C-alpha cells in the first residue's frame, strides 16, 4: 500500500505488545503499525535495509566493507529470498517493516507499507546495524535522550564528508545528531565505542559547519535537531548513507526502509557489544 512520505511517526498501531519484536513485526505485517520504531522491542537490534538486484549486490557489499561506520553489515540474504533467519526465524522482509522507500534509477519514487507486489527473484537484502541499539545503552548509562520523550528520533543530516567509493556506489556521509553536556558527551563516546556494529563512536563533535551541516536542514525533515544552551552536538554515522549512494549509483531498482522505520529483529543488543 502506498502512503505519503510525510506519514506521521505515530500513525496506527496501539494494539500490540511493543516490547515483543515478533509482535512488532506482525503489527507491521498486518498494516497495523506504520510509524517510527525507536523505543519498540527494547533490548533488541533494529536494522537499516537496502535491497538491490543481484548484479548490483557485490558492489554494494564492497561499499559496506569500505564504509563500516555508516554501513555495518549484520545480515545478507540469498538472491530472491525474503528471509533473514539469523535475525528472526519467522521474518518476511516484504511485510515486516513499517514503511519502505522505493527507488528507480536512483530516484525516490514512492513510500509503501508492503513490498510483496514489488518483490523480485533477483533481489538481495542487506541488513545494517542501527543506532537505536546504542541509544538503549546510552539510557542505561544514565544519558537519556530528550527527543525520545517527545516521540521523535535523532536529527538526520547530510555532511560534506565523502564515503569511500566502491564500484558504482559513492556519495556523502549521512549522520545523526544527539546533543549532550560536555561531561555527558565524554561518557556517550565511551558507551557507543562498544558498539561498532551499530555505528560505534561519533564521527564528529561540536561545530556542525565543520562537516557541512546546518542543524535547520534535516534530511527529508527527519528527527529533532534541538541543541540546548551548554550542550555539544555529537554526530554519528547513519544507516541512511546508502540511500545517498543509491541516488548516485542509479541502480534500476532499489528498496530501503523509510527513515527511522526499521526492521525489528530478535537479536539482542548485548550480542553486538564488543567489551
Amino acid at each position: 500500500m502506498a502512503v505519503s512520505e510525510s506519514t506521521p511517526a505515530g500513525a496506527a498501531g496501539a494494539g500490540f505488545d511493543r516490547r515483543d519484536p515478533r509482535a512488532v513485526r506482525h503489527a507491521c505485517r498486518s498494516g497495523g503499525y506504520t510509524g517510527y520504531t525507536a523505543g519498540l522491542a527494547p533490548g533488541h537490534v533494529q536494522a537499516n535495509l537496502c535491497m538491490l538486484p543481484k548484479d548490483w549486490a557485490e558492489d554494494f557489499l564492497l561499499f559496506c566493507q569500505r564504509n563500516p561506520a555508516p554501513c555495518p553489515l549484520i545480515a545478507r540474504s540469498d538472491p530472491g529470498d525474503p528471509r533473514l533467519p539469523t535475525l528472526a526465524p519467522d521474518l518476511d522482509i516484504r511485510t515486516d517493516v513499517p514503511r519502505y522507500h522505493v527507488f528507480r534509477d536512483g530516484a525516490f519514487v514512492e513510500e509503501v507499507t508492503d513490498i510483496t507486489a514489488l518483490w523480485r527473484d533477483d533481489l538481495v537484502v542487506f541488513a545494517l546495524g542501527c543506532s537505536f541499539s546504542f541509544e538503549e545503552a546510552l539510557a542505561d548509562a544514565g544519558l537519556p535522550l530528550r527527543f525520545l520523550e517527545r516521540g521523535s528520533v535523532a536529527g538526520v543530516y547530510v555532511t560534506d564528508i565523502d564515503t569511500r567509493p566502491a564500484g558504482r556506489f559513492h556519495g556523502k556521509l549521512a549522520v545523526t545528531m544527539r546533543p549532550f553536556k560536555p561531561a555527558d558527551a565524554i561518557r556517550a563516546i565511551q558507551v557507543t565505542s562498544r558498539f561498532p556494529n551499530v555505528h560505534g563512536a561519533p564521527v564528529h563533535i561540536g561545530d556542525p559547519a565543520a562537516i557541512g551541516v546546518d542543524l535547520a536542514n534535516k534530511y527529508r525533515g527527519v528527527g529533532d535537531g534541538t541543541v540546548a544552551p551548554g550542550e555539544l552536538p555529537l554526530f554519528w554515522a547513519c544507516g541512511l548513507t546508502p540511500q545517498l549512494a543509491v541516488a548516485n549509483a542509479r541502480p534500476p531498482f532499489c528498496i530501503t526502509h523509510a527513515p527511522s522505520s526499521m526492521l525489528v529483529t530478535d537479536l539482542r543488543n548485548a550480542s553486538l557489544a564488543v567489551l
Side-chain angles (χ1 to χ4, degrees):
M1 179 176 68
V3 296
S4 166
E5 188 179 352
S6 60
T7 298
F16 64 94
D17 183 355
R18 293 180 176 230
R19 301 185 62 83
D20 180 352
R22 186 171 183 269
V24 174
R25 291 193 300 274
H26 283 222
C28 297
R29 188 178 300 179
S30 69
Y33 188 74
T34 59
Y36 290 159
T37 54
L40 298 182
H44 293 86
V45 173
Q46 299 191 25
N48 301 279
L49 296 171
C50 189
M51 302 171 229
L52 289 158
K54 179 182 178 180
D55 59 351
W56 288 75
E58 292 307 313
D59 277 358
F60 186 76
L61 175 62
L62 184 58
F63 183 78
C64 293
Q65 292 170 336
R66 289 181 176 174
N67 298 280
C71 305
L73 186 63
I74 59 173
R76 175 188 178 181
S77 77
D78 292 330
D81 190 348
R83 301 169 300 165
L84 292 168
T86 61
L87 301 185
D90 69 328
L91 187 157
D92 188 330
I93 206 66
R94 298 169 295 186
T95 57
D96 292 2
V97 174
R99 293 176 294 136
Y100 305 83
H101 276 189
V102 181
F103 297 80
R104 296 187 186 276
D105 297 319
F108 170 76
V109 293
E110 63 177 334
E111 182 177 286
V112 298
T113 58
D114 186 312
I115 59 169
T116 302
L118 297 170
W119 187 254
R120 297 172 19 169
D121 289 341
D122 66 338
L123 287 180
V124 178
V125 182
F126 293 88
L128 311 174
C130 169
S131 60
F132 290 170
S133 292
F134 72 58
E135 287 184 346
E136 183 175 275
L138 290 171
D140 290 343
L143 301 172
L145 299 165
R146 287 191 306 271
F147 55 77
L148 292 180
E149 299 169 3
R150 300 169 182 155
S152 190
V153 293
V156 181
Y157 300 92
V158 178
T159 73
D160 62 6
I161 300 170
D162 289 317
T163 56
R164 291 187 61 198
R168 294 162 284 189
F169 291 95
H170 63 97
K172 299 298 183 181
L173 175 70
V175 294
T176 52
M177 187 281 295
R178 297 164 184 82
F180 293 96
K181 295 179 180 178
D184 289 342
I186 295 171
R187 182 64 179 143
I189 295 167
Q190 293 171 332
V191 169
T192 57
S193 294
R194 297 178 55 230
F195 292 91
N197 288 323
V198 288
H199 304 309
V203 296
H204 180 70
I205 302 167
D207 182 12
I211 56 171
V213 165
D214 174 358
L215 292 182
N217 185 22
K218 293 172 288 189
Y219 176 72
R220 298 194 183 278
V222 174
D224 187 338
T226 305
V227 180
E231 291 182 333
L232 288 171
L234 275 64
F235 298 88
W236 280 265
C238 175
L240 291 175
T241 300
Q243 295 191 11
L244 307 179
V246 165
N248 290 326
R250 298 176 61 84
F253 187 65
C254 176
I255 303 172
T256 72
H257 65 293
S260 298
S261 294
M262 320 300 291
L263 172 67
V264 177
T265 80
D266 287 354
L267 289 184
R268 302 292 303 190
N269 288 328
S271 70
L272 299 184
V274 296
L275 296 174

